[in-house]
Amino acid sequence: MNKSNGKDRAAWLQGPSAQCEVAPDNSKIPWRIVLLGAPGVGKGTQADLLHQRLGACHLSTGDVFRAAGSRSECEQSPAMKEALGYMRRGELVPDSTVWELVRERLACLQCSVGFILDGFPRTLGQAESLKQLLDSEGITLSAVLSYELAAGEIVARLSGRRTCEKCKAVYHVTERPPQVEGCCDRCEGKLILREDDRPEAIKVRLETYERSTAPLIEFYRKLGLLVQVAATGTPDQIFDRTVSELESRRIQVFAHKLWSAEENRR
Ligand code: AMP
């Protein structure tokens, strides 16, 4: 469902009325991954790197809300306006709104390019709905990556984060500063502090994560899908860790399938 540069995601960002431009390559086994981790652990950056390596599409529910927020008021549905209010305060958008949005983008989950879900599911209700939908469609997840980092480091990362208003590239005031202060290296767009990266919103987001999203770690552990990754160090170091964990998981799954097939033959 993505363009050859993989950055299209039109059907995901705009909804089912939009079409991605280039047909997917059916010759590869798709990766279908869910990313878990508190806000600020770097899921978005890892999702982009994984997309470049694996080809699977980076599907972020936060990006869908931000894309809707950048449209004019009259183009926003009442449900979307309400959702944007929750987002500004750093609170979770209600499950029913998020689920409607994901369900109407089912084609993105079915796409043979695969997917990297970033920021969804975020509650047990969402995880259960996703499981039912994927089961009913015969779609299996390859892995659930859980990125782990101490709370103090998360706050430092989030409060220093700056995002390009235009291309959404992410910087950090001390760890990854742009060449010219306040200006994006890629497109010269203005770098801004996301509303939900303000200190009062960060506090709410971290509390919400602990209460609503952290229980998903156990949910996916029980399903045998959980892969834990330390989110310390540079994005490249975290990525190298991620890839080696995924490689060993794919070998394990492959070995398990071979073993089961062998058992069935006996
Ligand atoms: P993110 O970019 O993933 O941190 O998402 C930004 C904001 O969008 C969150 O703080 C929530 O307000 C909202 N949001 C994104 N995904 C979800 C979700 N799966 N469930 C509820 N709210 C969400």
Side-chain angles (χ1 to χ4, degrees):
M1 59 160 276
N2 60 351
K3 253 181 173 175
S4 51
N5 71 5
K7 288 284 177 195
D8 185 20
R9 298 184 298 159
W12 180 255
L13 293 177
Q14 293 158 40
S17 57
Q19 283 222 323
C20 299
E21 281 181 24
V22 166
D25 173 1
N26 286 315
S27 65
K28 290 188 190 150
I29 302 174
W31 282 92
R32 296 193 170 106
I33 297 173
V34 168
L35 302 187
L36 290 182
V41 293
K43 296 189 298 294
T45 307
Q46 294 305 312
D48 279 340
L49 293 170
L50 283 166
H51 156 69
Q52 283 163 34
R53 176 72 67 94
L54 309 175
C57 230
H58 173 189
L59 306 181
S60 146
T61 37
D63 282 350
V64 177
F65 291 128
R66 279 183 285 278
S70 60
R71 286 186 213 123
S72 68
E73 284 249 337
C74 58
E75 282 178 296
Q76 292 168 13
S77 67
M80 192 50 86
K81 278 188 194 150
E82 201 192 323
L84 295 174
Y86 285 99
M87 188 175 164
R88 268 180 227 113
R89 294 189 294 275
E91 294 167 17
L92 289 187
V93 175
D95 279 358
S96 53
T97 311
V98 178
W99 183 239
E100 197 172 320
L101 177 149
V102 171
R103 211 167 33 98
E104 67 180 20
R105 287 164 174 75
L106 174 61
C108 294
L109 302 178
Q110 292 165 324
C111 180
S112 62
V113 108
F115 56 75
I116 302 158
L117 278 175
D118 163 20
F120 177 85
R122 248 179 165 101
T123 63
L124 275 176
Q126 292 177 13
E128 273 154 8
S129 302
L130 177 67
K131 183 174 184 313
Q132 271 174 25
L133 182 72
L134 295 182
D135 286 352
S136 69
E137 294 291 323
I139 298 169
T140 46
L141 286 177
S142 319
V144 174
L145 295 169
S146 172
Y147 288 99
E148 290 164 14
L149 191 66
E153 208 167 322
I154 291 177
V155 174
R157 279 197 193 173
L158 283 176
S159 51
R161 183 157 80 173
R162 297 294 179 272
T163 307
C164 173
E165 215 173 27
K166 260 205 254 169
C167 76
K168 312 295 173 212
V170 177
Y171 296 84
H172 190 277
V173 285
T174 53
E175 303 300 315
R176 199 175 162 222
Q179 280 164 8
V180 178
E181 198 185 323
C183 182
C184 179
D185 294 347
R186 272 200 222 159
C187 73
E188 298 188 356
K190 189 175 161 203
L191 300 188
I192 53 161
L193 176 68
R194 264 170 45 176
E195 265 191 282
D196 57 350
D197 283 344
R198 286 172 300 113
E200 49 293 15
I202 291 176
K203 187 167 173 285
V204 178
R205 288 167 71 199
L206 289 179
E207 285 167 1
T208 308
Y209 174 78
E210 277 309 317
R211 193 176 53 247
S212 305
T213 313
L216 298 195
I217 295 176
E218 226 19 69
F219 178 85
Y220 285 116
R221 194 198 307 280
K222 282 188 186 142
L223 292 175
L225 287 166
L226 191 74
V227 177
Q228 287 168 293
V229 184
T232 48
T234 64
D236 285 343
Q237 288 168 335
I238 303 170
F239 183 61
D240 288 346
R241 244 173 257 144
T242 304
V243 170
S244 70
E245 291 288 354
L246 282 179
E247 273 167 1
S248 63
R249 176 160 173 90
R250 190 150 257 192
I251 291 166
Q252 277 168 24
V253 170
F254 185 64
H256 179 73
K257 277 193 184 144
L258 279 182
W259 183 80
S260 311
E262 189 61 29
E263 282 290 288
N264 287 341
R265 265 204 299 275
R266 282 187 199 152

